[in-house]
Amino acid sequence: AWGEGVAVDHTNFLPSPNLWERLSDAGVEPITVQPGNFGGTRLSSVLYRGCRFEPAYTAQEMVDATLQMAATPRRLIVTYVPHVDVAAHVSGQASSEYADALQFVGRVWEQLALRLPAGVVMVGTADHGHIDYPKSAIAALDKRDEKGLVLYGDSRAMFVKGDGRPLANRLPAVWLPFDEIADWWGPGPAHPQFSRRAPDGVLLADPGHILMHKHSDDRLIGHHGGLESAERVVPMLIAAGVG
């Protein structure tokens, strides 16, 4: 929760070949443009193995780098602008910080769309939605609840190694055993370590509630990971360079 190192093989954490490696095998060069401080981190090494990482330190650098590299054919460029996600989590969607983040990302999109090279198509989307929750929505687990269990995942969908049924009886949540959620991880083939990593089930928080274990960050306002439409439905924008 506080940035401590995790004793795992980061390089081989995801299955091989991953998306970037499959693109390269198909003759498409994968590139990601991201805030420069993400470069060289363990999470980046997990997510972007086989992908060229291009750091940017300002919005203008991000726009210019994306457009410059998009001028070369047979490239897939993923440009990540984190501002909306951070503001939603930390400050909530009713905040001025969230409004500022939306405006920032909107300006980046507009600059890219106006300058796209001919033949280039740009798709803008997000990976999830957010819902703001007050402190009163927190259902906190105590030490007795966590005894003999391993808890991980999200505040809206908490994965459990062990039997989570007793917890569901007293928490605002339903228990879904693994057999009912196995397809959440796709059709396979599974990673060789998946059976070790997979939960025995998930505690799916009821609408209007979030679940917190001892390692959860209760400072956050925006949460996601459940099945409400506001968490699952995301926007999609499309622009094309006409030259």
Side-chain angles (χ1 to χ4, degrees):
W2 305 108
E4 302 94 332
V6 180
V8 299
D9 181 357
H10 293 85
T11 303
N12 297 307
F13 188 83
L14 293 182
S16 296
N18 65 14
L19 171 63
W20 316 116
E21 293 161 342
R22 297 199 304 271
L23 285 168
S24 295
D25 289 343
V28 176
E29 182 183 8
I31 303 171
T32 184
V33 179
Q34 300 211 19
N37 57 306
F38 291 174
T41 65
R42 293 297 196 181
L43 184 58
S44 292
S45 69
V46 167
L47 297 178
Y48 297 100
R49 185 188 72 223
C51 183
R52 174 178 162 187
F53 188 100
E54 286 290 330
Y57 294 92
T58 66
Q60 195 60 54
E61 285 185 11
M62 186 168 285
V63 169
D64 291 343
T66 301
L67 292 170
Q68 180 181 359
M69 288 182 291
T72 299
R74 297 196 65 76
R75 283 177 167 173
L76 176 68
I77 302 166
V78 177
T79 299
Y80 177 53
V81 187
H83 299 64
V84 169
D85 182 66
V86 172
H89 274 304
V90 175
S91 303
Q93 295 174 83
S95 66
S96 60
E97 290 84 357
Y98 186 76
D100 291 343
L102 285 175
Q103 291 181 346
F104 179 90
V105 174
R107 287 194 297 270
V108 170
W109 174 270
E110 184 177 39
Q111 290 183 51
L112 287 168
L114 289 173
R115 295 170 53 193
L116 278 181
V120 173
V121 174
M122 180 172 63
V123 177
T125 189
D127 54 345
H128 53 71
H130 280 272
I131 298 177
D132 292 354
Y133 288 91
K135 295 292 185 183
S136 59
I138 296 176
L141 285 72
D142 59 33
K143 292 182 179 180
R144 292 171 298 174
D145 293 327
E146 300 185 26
K147 187 176 181 180
L149 302 176
V150 177
L151 305 172
Y152 54 111
D154 194 88
S155 57
R156 294 280 296 132
M158 185 178 291
F159 296 148
V160 181
K161 274 191 173 296
D163 186 6
R165 288 182 180 85
L167 289 179
N169 292 334
R170 76 162 195 83
L171 293 172
V174 296
W175 171 251
L176 300 177
F178 178 79
D179 289 347
E180 295 183 24
I181 62 172
D183 60 353
W184 286 10
W185 287 269
H191 188 284
Q193 295 295 319
F194 178 71
S195 59
R196 183 176 64 85
R197 299 174 183 173
D200 293 309
V202 60
L203 287 167
L204 189 64
D206 294 342
H209 295 276
I210 51 178
L211 307 176
M212 293 280 174
H213 54 67
K214 63 183 178 183
H215 295 299
S216 298
D217 190 346
D218 62 2
R219 298 169 300 173
L220 302 182
I221 295 175
H223 294 262
H224 58 79
L227 300 180
E228 292 190 61
S229 59
E231 299 167 280
R232 296 187 296 110
V233 178
V234 296
M236 185 171 71
L237 306 173
I238 299 176
V242 295

